[in-house]
Amino acid sequence: VESKTPGAVLFAGHNDVPLYRNAFGHRRVTPHRLPMQNTTIFDLASLTKVVATAPAISLLIDRGKIGLDDPVCKFLPAFRGGYKSQVTIRHLVTHTGGIRALTALLPVAPRKRTPNAVPRAITKICELRLQSKPETKFTYSDLGYILLARLVEIVSSDPFDVFCQQHLFEPLGLSHTRFKPPRKWRDTIAATEWRNERMLCGAVHDPNAFALGGIAGHAGLFSNAPDLVRF
């Protein structure tokens, strides 16, 4: 009614039976209107945490590569000082490690993902003081999930996006789910906002994920409704 949401896609079902699916409004309204479709691809933002990062961590646990109660400093030695040695993978996954919600990473990570971009950002996060003792407070933290994605890279020896693509998305048949979507997908992606005098469409909206080159544990994933239903 207030025209604040240009469009949406709604899928509903019970068990494996689809009961309703429909697209509403537009996937882009400027510089010209494009209709929303059931297969429109969206910037998933924080759904990256539950569609990519948490499943990747769970997979490594299932394979015996890590333990849920392993200390984070076992894999990230720079994450020490104060109560940091008590912070476990479980704490990061459940946002109970005392890590602050956000900090700007753009000053330490370039917009193009380079070999040292992520380590520099990780170093900055590791140097931050905890805001509370582990398990004493829930703080929804993007930074904790950035650390988790780096942990996946360290343990698997694969870039985070490659690990997710090979071990999660492809086995599950998620053909339209990935970080940094290819240019050929551009016309099927919903736009987000203006940045640097251009409308973002296929480039990640989140500033820290953007600073990390579009590949991060807290945001950066793109997908559509059919893939999410399958997931």
Side-chain angles (χ1 to χ4, degrees):
V1 176
E2 297 178 350
S3 299
K4 292 184 177 180
T5 301
V9 178
L10 175 61
F11 274 49
H14 179 68
N15 294 328
D16 292 330
V17 181
L19 300 177
Y20 181 85
R21 62 183 69 187
N22 205 352
F24 303 88
H26 300 83
R27 66 182 185 272
R28 195 180 313 170
V29 295
T30 183
H32 53 274
R33 290 179 177 269
L34 294 175
M36 189 69 76
Q37 298 175 326
N38 286 341
T39 55
T40 294
I41 296 169
F42 291 86
D43 179 337
L44 293 190
S46 281
L47 280 180
T48 301
K49 297 179 177 71
V50 295
V51 179
T53 312
I57 290 292
S58 298
L59 194 59
L60 290 176
I61 292 171
D62 286 346
R63 293 177 177 177
K65 301 294 186 180
I66 60 175
L68 195 55
D69 293 309
D70 284 346
V72 175
C73 62
K74 176 180 178 180
F75 308 96
L76 296 168
F79 191 74
R80 294 183 182 274
Y83 293 96
K84 291 179 186 176
S85 61
Q86 299 178 19
V87 178
T88 66
I89 294 172
R90 184 191 301 270
H91 293 142
L92 295 189
V93 173
T94 59
H95 303 279
T96 57
I99 299 175
R100 71 175 64 186
L102 292 168
T103 193
L105 298 178
L106 194 55
V108 298
R111 299 182 183 187
K112 183 177 180 181
R113 191 176 174 97
T114 61
N116 67 342
V118 173
R120 290 174 63 195
I122 295 301
T123 297
K124 179 171 183 176
I125 297 172
C126 288
E127 289 174 348
L128 297 172
R129 296 183 57 153
L130 296 183
Q131 292 190 319
S132 59
K133 294 180 181 179
E135 290 191 0
T136 62
K137 184 179 179 181
F138 175 89
T139 301
Y140 182 81
S141 175
D142 281 357
L143 302 185
Y145 269 72
I146 292 174
L147 292 182
L148 286 172
R150 181 57 179 157
L151 190 150
V152 170
E153 293 185 330
I154 291 170
V155 173
S156 69
S157 298
D158 287 327
F160 183 60
D161 59 326
V162 172
F163 180 88
C164 291
Q165 196 69 36
Q166 292 182 351
H167 299 278
L168 292 172
F169 308 149
E170 289 179 3
L172 290 174
L174 308 184
S175 58
H176 291 87
T177 301
R178 64 178 295 172
F179 293 91
K180 300 187 71 172
R183 186 171 295 275
K184 64 182 179 180
W185 289 11
R186 195 64 51 86
D187 289 339
T188 64
I189 299 176
T192 52
E193 69 169 7
W194 289 100
R195 179 183 290 162
N196 298 328
E197 299 183 350
R198 71 184 183 94
M199 177 60 68
L200 291 184
C201 186
V204 65
H205 167 272
D206 180 89
N208 277 340
F210 180 72
L212 293 172
I215 303 168
H218 70 295
L221 194 64
F222 285 75
S223 188
N224 62 12
D227 270 20
L228 291 181
V229 168
R230 185 174 181 84
F231 176 81

